[in-house]
Amino acid sequence: MIKNKSNEEYRALGIMGGTFDPIHYGHLVTAEEARCQFDLDAVIFVPSGKPPHKKNYRVSDAKHRYLMTVLAVVTNPFFDVSRTEIDREGYSYTIDTVREFREKYPNTEIFFITGADAILEILTWKKVEEVMDHCRFIAATRPGYNLNDLDKKFKTIMPEYSSRIQTIEVPALAISSTDIRRRVANNMSIKYLVPEAVEQYILKNNLYKS
Ligand code: ATP
Ligand code: MG
């Protein structure tokens, strides 16, 4: 898929982390917009293993979330999927992933791509300062979140790191995995919210029915 960079290093790389339960067009359009605006060589999607922050519902098997992510990115030559978090024991922490990418790509500018809601949670992350030292952040607008407020908040709480976060506008897509799961459970259509192959995968494997 993407160019094998074992000899030739990436100049700029995006990491798109998420539960991807399931992956949807909101994730894909955000990653693509970040890639284009920041001229990234590639965006690697990193489905989380055991996410420490998602304890209020049962997250689907990593196997399903990984495969749906693979299905969703096949049509984009600049996108790829990493198994690092799903193959790791215990809870998934961003710091471990970022450290790993930093070691693998020592001279690459790494951008962590998130939606506006996720960046708001950032201060609760384990070792956020170290994460900030290893990579910059691209925060995408998501309907219902105010990036100006976020900017102010960040400047107050972490002034030394606020320049490490850049915001981008993406075509507003009010799509969430929560809504997709709810739709499937209620036998409602999810067409045009997720790539067709992902829709087929969900139906074939009877996901989100209960
Ligand atoms: P859930 O409803 O289960 O929380 P989600 O739709 O928020 O799912 P996640 O896997 O939690 O998806 O999100 C992964 C990343 O993608 C996060 O950084 C999140 O902010 C971002 N993201 C999710 N949906 C959108 C969207 N519609 N537009 C922009 N960013 C999004
Ligand atoms: Mg979410």
Side-chain angles (χ1 to χ4, degrees), residues 14-16 26-40 43 79 111-117 119 136-143 145-148 150-151 164-173:
I15 301 178
M16 178 90 196
H27 301 130
L28 294 163
V29 87
T30 299
E32 180 68 355
E33 197 62 27
R35 180 183 78 76
C36 296
Q37 287 196 28
F38 287 80
D39 197 19
L40 307 177
V43 177
F79 286 179
F111 291 84
F112 200 92
I113 306 161
T114 73
D117 58 323
I119 198 96
R136 287 165 65 187
F137 277 78
I138 301 174
T141 50
R142 191 175 179 176
Y145 298 91
N146 185 329
L147 283 182
N148 289 333
L150 166 74
D151 222 33
R164 305 281 290 165
I165 303 183
Q166 273 149 301
T167 55
I168 56 165
E169 300 252 343
V170 299
L173 273 179

Side-chain angles (χ1 to χ4, degrees), residues 154-182:
F154 226 83
K155 281 195 173 115
T156 321
I157 305 170
M158 292 186 101
E160 68 278 30
Y161 287 106
S162 62
S163 65
R164 305 281 290 165
I165 303 183
Q166 273 149 301
T167 55
I168 56 165
E169 300 252 343
V170 299
L173 273 179
I175 305 177
S176 71
S177 303
T178 302
D179 183 54
I180 291 165
R181 294 192 298 272
R182 183 188 61 82

Side-chain angles (χ1 to χ4, degrees), residues 14-27:
I15 301 178
M16 178 90 196
T19 317
F20 304 133
D21 193 16
I23 189 162
H24 54 68
Y25 279 128
H27 301 130

Side-chain angles (χ1 to χ4, degrees), residues 28-196:
L28 294 163
V29 87
T30 299
E32 180 68 355
E33 197 62 27
R35 180 183 78 76
C36 296
Q37 287 196 28
F38 287 80
D39 197 19
L40 307 177
D41 296 311
V43 177
I44 316 281
F45 287 70
V46 186
S48 56
K50 258 198 194 173
H53 61 287
K54 293 231 171 165
K55 289 170 188 154
N56 51 347
Y57 84 96
R58 248 189 84 228
V59 176
S60 305
D61 266 9
K63 177 190 86 176
H64 290 313
R65 294 182 294 106
Y66 171 74
L67 286 175
M68 288 190 284
T69 308
V70 170
L71 289 173
V73 306
V74 283
T75 53
N76 190 326
F78 298 102
F79 286 179
D80 205 353
V81 188
S82 159
R83 294 187 57 94
T84 183
E85 290 200 5
I86 60 177
D87 287 343
R88 194 182 299 145
E89 299 277 308
Y91 285 119
S92 283
Y93 290 104
T94 302
I95 181 61
D96 301 322
T97 304
V98 166
R99 269 186 199 143
E100 197 181 298
F101 274 87
R102 176 46 67 225
E103 264 169 42
K104 193 167 173 193
Y105 305 104
N107 305 314
T108 302
E109 177 109 72
I110 298 174
F111 291 84
F112 200 92
I113 306 161
T114 73
D117 58 323
I119 198 96
L120 285 170
E121 281 173 18
I122 194 177
L123 297 176
T124 68
W125 284 1
K126 199 173 143 187
K127 308 212 168 138
V128 61
E129 285 90 357
E130 196 194 331
V131 175
M132 289 278 171
D133 285 335
H134 289 312
C135 62
R136 287 165 65 187
F137 277 78
I138 301 174
T141 50
R142 191 175 179 176
Y145 298 91
N146 185 329
L147 283 182
N148 289 333
D149 285 356
L150 166 74
D151 222 33
K152 275 187 217 145
K153 200 168 170 179
F154 226 83
K155 281 195 173 115
T156 321
I157 305 170
M158 292 186 101
E160 68 278 30
Y161 287 106
S162 62
S163 65
R164 305 281 290 165
I165 303 183
Q166 273 149 301
T167 55
I168 56 165
E169 300 252 343
V170 299
L173 273 179
I175 305 177
S176 71
S177 303
T178 302
D179 183 54
I180 291 165
R181 294 192 298 272
R182 183 188 61 82
R183 283 168 174 269
V184 175
N186 291 295
N187 297 313
M188 291 160 69
S189 171
I190 55 166
K191 252 189 207 317
Y192 316 123
L193 299 176
V194 298
E196 198 173 338

